[in-house]
Amino acid sequence: MASDTGGYVNLVPLYGNQHYDTTTRPLPPRKPFLKVHGNVMYDYYYQSGVDTPYQQKDIYQHTVQTYLDITVRDQYPVRVAFTTARGNSTLFRNITGVNMQYTNRDFKNLLYDKLQKWDASQIGQLQQLQLEKQQLNAKSLELYQLKDWLSSPAQLQRLVEARERKLYGRRDTLPTPGLDSLPKVPSMPEVPSWDVLLRYKGRLNTKDSTTNRLPSDSSFENYYAARQHQLDSLQDRLRIMDSTYHAHEAQVGNLKGDVIEKLMSSKNNAELSQRLKEMNLPDTVLPKGYKTLLAIRSIGLGRTMADYSELTAKGISITGVQAEFNPSYYVAVAAGTIDYRFRNYVVNSDAPRQYLALIRAGYGMKEGNHLFFTYYMGKKQLYNLNTSADSTSTPNYHIMGVAVEGRWQITKHTYMTGEVAKSSLPYYQKSEHSMFSDHTNEAYSLSANSLIAKTGTKLTGVYKVMGAGFQSFSLYTTGSKQIAWTVRVDQPFFKQQLLVTASVRRNDYTSQYQQADYKSNTIFKSIQATLRIKHYPVVSVGYYPTSQLTKLSDGTYIESTFYTMVGTVSHFYKVHSVMMNTMLSYTRFYNKQDDSSFVYYNTKNLLLNHTMFMGKFTVQGTGSAAMNGDYDLYGADGTVLYKVKSWLDIGAGLKYSYQTTYEIRNVGYTGTARVAIPYFGQIEVMADKGFIPGAEKRLVSNNTGRITYTKTF
């Protein structure tokens, strides 16, 4: 193995009396204390009319975003991210977020990259290993030839004859073929050198130029005995060489594949740490403290995601601190202000300040069998419209709760997770009992996941029961007892070429817009299928529920749910020397006009897009049709992008729209440009004039523009 010797790596011989090329080669330059990579992006976006149920005009937004991947001493990865968005829309809030985070996922990726580079540096050792293999093969051949000579019938017969002559005191006067020129060898116990024996071997069938006399009987016996002794010595030597070679081969020759396999296939961080320990990797690849770094699942400051369990906190963005540590036991803490739920960030800009504090501890690995206890508390706004017990009092939004979660690995591919939780009662719900004696503030969750390896079937199921007074950061309090469940099946067919996903669910309750005492028995179904056959188009079909949010007045919203069917066919292919891509898409909304104020109700949409890649030119054409019961809207556009230089792209196109009710025809345009400036970055500009459906079945002009600057370093 390589040894670190003051800036040089010596290729050390594996056994003492075998000598190899021990030339030295300099190590790579010393790594800097900090290594920083990342990018910076600024984006300005303008839209003259927002194409949603929210009617707003002349909307613009500035966005600045950057992320930095920082590596300390080439061993410890940290990611820093910053985002801020500012605009004039009353719907989209101004948001600023800063995050600094370490995750063991980034650390494992760093290990993988370092392993790739380190393995390339082992070429010298791999060449030495090949030399050892050649020498081992040569010695094995000599051993085979020596065994063959000692066990040959001719040599055994000569040995018997020599012993008989010695026993009876007789000597033949006629020469014995093959032995008439055998030179004398030293008598035992002196053992001839290997070179002398090789010379014997080469002269066994040659005549001595000075004599035709045979050697004495003892001479052949000594010679045969010397070769037997040499056989024993050679066997011992080969055993040492073979053992050392295979040990070296395991450590050097197969190291890369072993580490990568174990890095990617380990079930959890504890298993990975143990496997890495057994491999004796050098410090340049495996830094000190790697077990702790793998056990730290994450440490985050700033805006992070609190995502722990079904009944405590799930999918919550907080601005504060989070940490997860999981060697063999588990500890997690989170504390911060609640920024927004990702799904509903466009509303409730005047919501009261909310915060979350959580501590979670237990035994076991998060991906394996475990038992975790959770305590959470904080302040969370209730969105029910009928939850105020006293309109003159200030609502008390403080909540707290405890939960216990267990995970059981039933078989290799099947596990279940169960959780029970109890919370404080909502301020509007009065009870004659204490928090712990009341049962309306309890919740239960059970989920199961399984894989049928023979058929590749994945099964997922979740069942939840939530009391009328249960509160947590994962669910919205609805004011009534709720039962929710989900069943999902993922099934591949035809050797993974066709994947079908189907699910059935009841009561999602991830929305805040439900009325108090609302209870639903609606069953939502969805199915999606994707067919991928090599050299053929990719076909995808889906049928699933879709929700739409509509603003009725300030602070009042409704959410409508309806089904949507989507089908696409896409194909990337070559015609002569021209690469092409064709995509056909069909969308159908199954909603009614009273379900939505959106003009695309109960609409069938068809879109065909074709792109040709012709050297420096990219030509794209699109045709579309939107058809409902009131009118049809057809559109067509074509664009050409020209790569002038490696640092300059320009493009332009025309757009045509036709509406059937009033036979409205409009022509729009689009233009794009990209400029890459050395050491400065890249600037992209886009301007578009189009037409969208408006009130009274007419088309409304819609102008959009964008300027984007990016710099990667």
Side-chain angles (χ1 to χ4, degrees):
M1 294 294 291
S3 61
D4 195 348
T5 56
Y8 288 88
V9 174
N10 292 329
L11 301 182
V12 181
L14 297 181
Y15 25 85
N17 59 348
Q18 297 295 325
H19 299 286
Y20 302 104
D21 179 14
T22 58
T23 57
T24 59
R25 52 187 171 85
L27 286 172
R30 183 181 295 273
K31 299 296 183 180
F33 179 76
L34 288 180
K35 185 164 52 176
V36 181
H37 295 288
N39 72 14
V40 177
M41 185 273 291
Y42 165 76
D43 180 78
Y44 170 79
Y45 179 74
Y46 167 82
Q47 187 171 3
S48 62
V50 180
D51 186 17
T52 69
Y54 308 114
Q55 298 299 322
Q56 285 194 320
K57 295 183 179 298
D58 296 324
I59 300 301
Y60 66 84
Q61 188 172 56
H62 301 272
T63 302
V64 177
Q65 178 178 295
T66 181
Y67 78 84
L68 303 175
D69 284 326
I70 303 173
T71 306
V72 182
R73 299 180 62 182
D74 199 39
Q75 294 179 336
Y76 311 108
V78 178
R79 170 163 287 197
V80 178
F82 170 80
T83 301
T84 183
R86 293 286 184 271
N88 65 341
S89 172
T90 60
L91 299 174
F92 299 93
R93 292 182 292 160
N94 295 331
I95 297 173
T96 298
V98 181
N99 167 262
M100 182 172 69
Q101 190 171 33
Y102 162 86
T103 65
N104 59 9
R105 179 186 62 253
D106 293 335
F107 180 66
K108 285 187 282 189
N109 290 337
L110 180 64
L111 282 182
Y112 179 84
D113 293 338
K114 290 172 66 176
L115 177 64
Q116 297 287 75
K117 298 175 183 177
W118 176 79
D119 184 74
S121 71
Q122 305 306 300
I123 295 176
Q125 291 196 27
L126 294 175
Q127 291 174 343
Q128 176 182 320
L129 188 68
Q130 184 63 31
L131 177 61
E132 294 165 11
K133 179 66 173 177
Q134 295 173 358
Q135 293 180 342
L136 182 62
N137 291 338
K139 292 294 183 185
S140 299
L141 178 61
E142 292 177 10
L143 179 66
Y144 171 78
Q145 292 174 339
L146 183 56
K147 281 185 175 181
D148 183 64
W149 187 88
L150 289 171
S151 62
S152 66
Q155 306 307 326
L156 293 176
Q157 178 63 30
R158 291 167 188 157
L159 181 61
V160 170
E161 292 176 356
R163 289 176 177 174
E164 288 178 348
R165 287 193 295 270
K166 181 178 179 181
L167 179 63
Y168 295 105
R170 292 162 38 195
R171 294 188 61 183
D172 295 330
T173 58
L174 296 176
T176 303
L179 293 178
D180 56 342
S181 60
L182 186 64
K184 294 182 179 181
V185 296
S187 59
M188 295 298 287
E190 182 182 354
V191 179
S193 68
W194 184 245
D195 292 337
V196 171
L197 291 173
L198 291 179
R199 288 199 298 271
Y200 281 147
K201 178 182 176 182
R203 296 173 56 191
L204 284 176
N205 295 317
T206 61
K207 295 279 187 174
D208 193 301
S209 60
T210 60
T211 179
N212 289 331
R213 296 179 59 85
L214 290 173
S216 64
D217 296 332
S218 62
S219 297
F220 183 75
E221 285 188 86
N222 291 342
Y223 174 72
Y224 192 89
R227 301 207 71 176
Q228 284 184 317
H229 183 79
Q230 187 66 34
L231 175 65
D232 295 338
S233 300
L234 188 55
Q235 286 176 328
D236 292 339
R237 174 64 55 79
L238 279 173
R239 277 194 294 270
I240 296 173
M241 292 177 65
D242 186 71
S243 176
T244 308
Y245 169 78
H246 285 95
H248 196 191
E249 181 185 44
Q251 294 173 349
V252 178
N254 297 328
L255 185 59
K256 173 184 173 182
D258 288 345
V259 172
I260 294 177
E261 179 183 356
K262 292 174 181 178
L263 193 67
M264 305 305 293
S265 64
S266 297
K267 296 178 182 178
N268 53 59
N269 299 319
E271 182 178 298
L272 176 59
S273 296
Q274 182 60 33
R275 289 182 173 182
L276 291 175
K277 179 181 177 181
E278 297 169 354
M279 305 195 68
N280 294 321
L281 291 170
D283 292 342
T284 55
V285 177
L286 203 59
K288 295 180 180 179
Y290 70 91
K291 289 185 179 180
T292 302
L293 292 172
L294 288 172
I296 299 174
R297 300 182 65 91
S298 67
I299 297 179
L301 298 174
R303 176 175 292 167
T304 57
M305 173 76 77
D307 197 6
Y308 292 101
S309 70
E310 292 286 339
L311 302 180
T312 58
K314 191 175 183 67
I316 306 296
S317 174
I318 67 172
T319 300
V321 59
Q322 282 197 82
E324 276 190 283
F325 187 59
N326 191 200
S328 58
Y329 57 91
Y330 179 89
V331 176
V333 294
T337 59
I338 298 177
D339 194 3
Y340 59 84
R341 283 181 65 91
F342 280 101
R343 183 169 179 259
N344 304 313
Y345 74 99
V346 299
V347 295
N348 299 305
S349 58
D350 298 325
R353 192 171 182 84
Q354 305 171 71
Y355 67 89
L356 160 71
L358 177 146
I359 183 169
R360 185 172 168 89
Y363 185 81
M365 303 304 296
K366 192 172 183 179
E367 302 85 355
N369 294 335
H370 66 246
L371 185 65
F372 295 163
F373 298 86
T374 305
Y375 171 79
Y376 61 91
M377 53 114 25
K379 186 176 180 181
K380 177 188 176 186
Q381 181 188 13
L382 298 178
Y383 296 95
N384 292 297
L385 300 181
N386 303 319
T387 55
S388 178
D390 185 357
S391 60
T392 62
S393 62
T394 301
N396 183 359
Y397 291 129
H398 288 88
I399 68 173
M400 60 84 64
V402 293
V404 179
E405 179 191 83
R407 185 185 187 275
W408 299 271
Q409 191 76 37
I410 301 173
T411 66
K412 181 180 180 181
H413 302 295
T414 302
Y415 68 91
M416 297 184 65
T417 303
E419 187 177 19
V420 296
K422 194 174 185 68
S423 73
S424 58
L425 290 166
Y427 69 90
Y428 60 85
Q429 181 173 327
K430 296 181 179 180
S431 175
E432 298 178 356
H433 307 285
S434 67
M435 163 188 166
F436 294 100
S437 60
D438 198 301
H439 296 290
T440 62
N441 58 344
E442 297 174 349
Y444 310 90
S445 173
L446 182 66
S447 64
N449 294 266
S450 183
L451 169 65
I452 303 176
K454 187 174 182 180
T455 60
T457 307
K458 294 182 181 179
L459 303 171
T460 304
V462 179
Y463 183 82
K464 291 184 288 188
V465 179
M466 298 150 284
F470 178 72
Q471 302 179 95
S472 79
F473 292 96
S474 294
L475 307 165
Y476 288 101
T477 304
T478 62
S480 62
K481 182 179 179 179
Q482 302 293 340
I483 297 176
W485 52 264
T486 301
V487 177
R488 172 172 169 163
V489 180
D490 296 274
Q491 178 62 60
F493 296 95
F494 310 120
K495 298 180 179 181
Q496 305 289 330
Q497 295 182 120
L498 173 63
L499 177 63
V500 178
T501 299
S503 67
V504 181
R505 63 180 174 88
R506 171 190 171 186
N507 289 355
D508 195 358
Y509 295 108
T510 57
S511 174
Q512 62 195 42
Y513 307 108
Q514 311 293 353
Q515 304 295 321
D517 298 322
Y518 174 81
K519 191 170 184 178
S520 172
N521 293 316
T522 304
I523 306 297
F524 296 102
K525 290 84 64 177
S526 66
I527 186 169
Q528 182 168 342
T530 302
L531 178 64
R532 298 176 182 272
I533 301 177
K534 192 174 182 179
H535 305 306
Y536 286 89
V538 177
V539 181
S540 179
V541 179
Y543 180 78
Y544 39 79
T546 303
S547 65
Q548 179 181 312
L549 190 64
T550 304
K551 182 177 180 180
L552 301 179
S553 61
D554 290 341
T556 305
Y557 304 85
I558 62 171
E559 186 176 28
S560 303
T561 302
F562 51 90
Y563 280 97
T564 300
M565 185 176 73
V566 178
T568 61
V569 180
S570 62
H571 191 36
F572 194 84
Y573 55 99
K574 179 186 286 188
V575 177
H576 300 294
S577 60
V578 179
M579 299 301 300
M580 298 186 180
N581 179 261
T582 302
M583 191 271 291
L584 176 65
S585 174
Y586 174 79
T587 304
R588 171 73 185 272
F589 299 112
Y590 292 92
N591 60 331
K592 297 176 294 183
Q593 187 172 12
D594 54 1
D595 289 336
S596 168
S597 60
F598 198 38
V599 294
Y600 283 127
Y601 67 90
N602 196 28
T603 302
K604 308 178 189 70
N605 296 276
L606 189 65
L607 183 144
L608 176 64
N609 178 272
H610 181 71
T611 305
M612 297 184 294
F613 304 92
M614 308 167 62
K616 292 187 175 184
F617 289 92
T618 300
V619 181
Q620 179 175 279
T622 302
S624 63
M627 300 160 284
N628 59 32
D630 293 337
Y631 66 89
D632 297 337
L633 175 63
Y634 300 97
D637 65 76
T639 60
V640 177
L641 180 66
Y642 176 50
K643 191 177 186 66
V644 183
K645 298 287 184 180
S646 60
W647 53 270
L648 176 62
D649 296 342
I650 57 174
L654 293 176
K655 308 172 71 173
Y656 174 78
S657 300
Y658 171 64
Q659 197 255 37
T660 58
T661 300
Y662 295 100
E663 296 187 354
I664 301 173
R665 295 175 174 84
N666 295 111
V667 177
Y669 58 83
T670 183
T672 61
R674 180 193 67 88
V675 180
I677 304 173
Y679 307 106
F680 177 75
Q682 179 174 284
I683 299 175
E684 296 180 71
V685 180
M686 182 274 291
D688 184 284
K689 180 178 180 59
F691 298 89
I692 59 175
E696 299 179 356
K697 304 178 184 179
R698 294 186 178 274
L699 297 181
V700 178
S701 176
N702 181 46
N703 303 320
T704 60
R706 168 162 271 159
I707 301 175
T708 304
Y709 164 77
T710 57
K711 169 66 175 177
T712 302
F713 52 90

